[in-house]
Amino acid sequence: MPQPPPPPRIEVPAIPRMDAPTQPSLRSRPRSSFGDRISRCLDEAAAAGLNQAERAAYSRSCANHRD
């Protein structure tokens, strides 16, 4: 009869110390408002020569993907 496998190794995760130096966090700039993104996307669509229906579809998609 084979021997049972060894028990799993249990490791305690390191707990950060309150007095330890920290690395600065990288903060992204805040996302512009939805209205600002829509306006910018509508301007781009108009500059590209899209018609009204195409501009509406483009601006919705564009505004949801922009930062």
Side-chain angles (χ1 to χ4, degrees):
M1 184 164 162
Q3 291 184 348
R9 184 174 176 184
I10 300 173
E11 295 182 15
V12 178
I15 300 172
R17 294 178 27 179
M18 294 299 287
D19 61 346
T22 59
Q23 292 188 354
S25 62
L26 299 175
R27 294 181 185 233
S28 61
R29 59 185 179 152
R31 191 172 188 188
S32 58
S33 73
F34 187 76
D36 290 342
R37 294 192 314 268
I38 283 287
S39 294
R40 188 172 47 237
C41 293
L42 283 170
D43 290 344
E44 289 176 6
L50 300 179
N51 67 33
Q52 186 176 1
E54 292 169 329
R55 282 195 306 262
Y58 174 81
S59 64
R60 282 190 302 271
S61 176
C62 169
N64 287 319
H65 291 95
R66 287 219 163 195
D67 50 285

